[in-house]
Amino acid sequence: MHRIRGETQHYGRAHRFFRTHTLDHRRAGGSRLLSAGQHVVLRTVFLVYTLAAWIASIVLDAQSGQMSGHFVYFTYLCYTGLLAYLAASLFHTVQLWRGRDGSFGSMAHVLQLLHWLLFASALLFATVVSVVFWAVIYKADTYRGVHRWVNASVHGTNIAIMWVDSLVGAMVFCPHWSHPLVLALLMALYLALAYVNAAINGWFTYDFINYKVHGAKEAPILIGMLLGIFVLYYVLYGVHVLLDRLLPPRFMRGKYSVDEEDCCSDTDELGVKQVY
């Protein structure tokens, strides 16, 4: 019988640890509100817009001679991750629209896990970037013309796109602590990159990580940032739990002709049934 989700025993120990086997494969391309065709149109618009803003940001920095520091900024790294997620999610939505709903399940397990983490990182980091920028960094007289549009895109439409994708799409966060740990490690790696840049080029990407200014207070700031990843992650997880209860994906409401019992249940290594 055709299965959209893999049998638990087909996943290695590492993937069972990260709960890769518990993700319903239809979530990658499925929707809570739209038909597959409508979902393709929406995700295409999101991808084209994000790609245009991503290219514009690179062109502007190249023209101003600042390209060497472009990807040292957390904002542009996160925007690149957003672009990658939108491209991957559009692919799976197109496959669903074409009647090939097994595209996600046919991928290597490590790619399934990476897609899940990519979604979580895109939403969480977009939220972090936008909130921190508008609350701490933004100065009204800094941006003009195209720069203002790019700035609004990488600090504003990024979070709007990801929240609309969460509302319309079907992806959810994994409740297992390993996922926010990976995101916290990514943040730690970025901080290491920022300090390497400061040591080599003599400037800090953001004032709040400048230990020369904050001195002994810098360590608590960094620890708070990493712990904040865990807190925000589980806040967003709670939002997705609420979304699933109030607005479950269409395939969970019988909108698609797929065997629900066969595809929506699984057990972890302890024999406990889990469905995400």
Side-chain angles (χ1 to χ4, degrees):
M1 183 179 294
H2 172 67
R3 292 180 66 85
I4 295 180
R5 299 181 65 208
E7 296 284 359
T8 302
Q9 59 267 28
H10 292 168
Y11 287 79
R13 182 179 297 274
H15 291 293
R16 293 200 301 273
F17 172 77
F18 283 103
R19 300 302 192 268
T20 311
H21 64 286
T22 62
L23 177 64
D24 190 320
H25 294 170
R26 295 168 298 173
R27 285 189 179 275
S31 174
R32 303 178 190 278
L33 297 171
L34 305 178
S35 67
Q38 293 168 338
H39 204 192
V40 166
V41 172
L42 179 65
R43 281 184 160 168
T44 299
V45 171
F46 284 167
L47 177 61
V48 171
Y49 179 91
T50 303
L51 179 61
W54 183 78
I55 293 174
S57 70
I58 292 176
V59 171
L60 290 176
D61 274 357
Q63 289 177 339
S64 60
Q66 299 177 345
M67 191 59 212
S68 60
H70 183 83
F71 287 110
V72 180
Y73 285 93
F74 191 65
T75 295
Y76 295 121
L77 292 174
C78 293
Y79 206 69
T80 302
L82 170 63
L83 182 63
Y85 167 71
L86 292 175
S89 62
L90 176 60
F91 169 77
H92 293 298
T93 307
V94 169
Q95 293 297 91
L96 178 65
W97 176 52
R98 298 176 62 186
R100 300 174 181 177
D101 53 14
S103 64
F104 191 86
S106 63
M107 295 197 309
H109 295 161
V110 66
L111 294 180
Q112 296 174 12
L113 174 60
L114 288 176
H115 184 87
W116 206 357
L117 290 170
L118 187 59
F119 165 74
S121 65
L123 177 58
L124 186 144
F125 290 147
T127 304
V128 170
V129 166
S130 297
V131 171
V132 171
F133 177 81
W134 295 108
V136 178
I137 301 175
Y138 176 69
K139 295 180 181 179
D141 59 348
T142 303
Y143 306 96
R144 293 288 186 273
V146 179
H147 291 272
R148 176 172 295 190
W149 169 68
V150 170
N151 175 68
S153 297
V154 299
H155 296 112
T157 58
N158 60 331
I159 188 173
I161 285 173
M162 281 310 302
W163 276 104
V164 171
D165 185 85
S166 293
L167 178 63
V168 175
M171 287 294 292
V172 291
F173 277 26
C174 176
H176 195 254
W177 57 266
S178 59
H179 286 230
L181 177 62
V182 171
L183 301 188
L185 289 175
L186 289 176
M187 176 63 78
L189 288 173
Y190 171 73
L191 292 172
L193 171 65
Y195 287 124
V196 168
N197 172 74
I200 295 175
N201 298 317
W203 54 272
F204 290 88
T205 49
Y206 304 103
D207 290 339
F208 53 81
I209 62 173
N210 187 342
Y211 62 84
K212 295 180 181 180
V213 173
H214 300 290
K217 296 179 181 179
E218 187 63 23
I221 291 175
L222 299 181
I223 293 173
M225 290 172 61
L226 297 178
L227 292 178
I229 295 296
F230 282 86
V231 173
L232 180 57
Y233 182 94
Y234 282 107
V235 169
L236 297 179
Y237 166 71
V239 171
H240 283 104
V241 170
L242 186 61
L243 272 176
D244 260 10
R245 292 181 178 178
L246 298 179
L247 195 63
R250 293 181 59 171
F251 57 75
M252 290 184 177
R253 291 177 278 157
K255 297 297 183 182
Y256 296 126
S257 56
V258 180
D259 189 329
E260 294 288 328
E261 182 178 359
D262 186 51
C263 300
C264 296
S265 65
D266 210 337
T267 57
D268 64 14
E269 60 269 35
L270 299 178
V272 179
K273 183 177 289 189
Q274 300 190 16
V275 179
Y276 306 135

